[in-house]
Amino acid sequence: MRTRLRKLHTGGRAFVWKADIRHVRGERDCHRCIRVRVWGAGKNSRALQADLLSKTWGSPWGACAADDTYPQPGDVRTLIEYALAHGWEPDAVGGTHLLTEREHTAFELPEFLLTDRLRVPSAPDPTERVIRAFEAANG
């Protein structure tokens, strides 16, 4: 199955991106996680990668079963602008610029948090962060 690359323009330049739906386990539930990858200068350029943890919580069927959040172009634009301001060099050849939870704890999107749990299984449990973010957004 081919992955669809989407196009986006920001800051006067074109980017292509894709988002893959994944899941991560927490102590109390499974959580939807979207791996976003962005390229700014072709397939050999330095990719931006961020694992976005959905803030959805409180479904009687479990967060993984009922969660349908997916990053919108505005979310990806915010991600790109943040990464550019924090050292991503999209014109560099090769490698990946990771936005990690550990290094960018303050970064947040309306529906997502960053997580390291997808890459590092021993990373902090996402459940409490998801619950806190959900309650802050929904009172």
Side-chain angles (χ1 to χ4, degrees):
M1 176 190 210
R2 288 180 55 105
T3 301
R4 180 176 169 215
L5 293 177
R6 295 167 166 88
K7 293 181 181 178
L8 180 92
H9 289 81
T10 188
R13 86 183 276 164
F15 294 89
V16 294
W17 64 281
K18 70 174 188 167
D20 297 323
I21 300 170
R22 314 258 179 113
H23 296 92
V24 294
R25 294 271 331 136
E27 281 185 29
R28 295 171 43 191
D29 207 344
C30 174
H31 304 277
R32 186 172 215 175
C33 184
I34 310 292
R35 174 164 284 168
V36 176
R37 290 185 54 91
V38 181
W39 295 267
K43 68 180 182 179
N44 293 325
S45 66
R46 180 160 300 149
L48 167 63
Q49 179 175 305
D51 293 334
L52 302 178
L53 179 66
S54 171
K55 294 181 186 178
T56 299
W57 182 252
S59 168
W61 303 281
C64 279
D67 191 345
D68 64 354
T69 54
Y70 193 80
Q72 300 301 307
D75 296 322
V76 177
R77 182 174 285 109
T78 300
L79 192 67
I80 290 168
E81 291 168 355
Y82 179 87
L84 289 169
H86 288 85
W88 178 38
E89 298 174 9
D91 293 319
V93 176
T96 302
H97 182 88
L98 298 173
L99 286 185
T100 64
E101 168 189 354
R102 187 173 57 84
E103 294 176 2
H104 302 277
T105 54
F107 181 80
E108 194 170 322
L109 292 167
E111 301 291 326
F112 297 99
L113 304 167
L114 286 175
T115 185
D116 294 341
R117 191 74 173 244
L118 194 56
R119 285 181 312 97
V120 182
S122 62
D125 177 30
T127 303
E128 290 304 316
R129 290 179 60 225
V130 168
I131 293 170
R132 282 194 309 272
F134 179 81
E135 288 175 349
N138 298 292

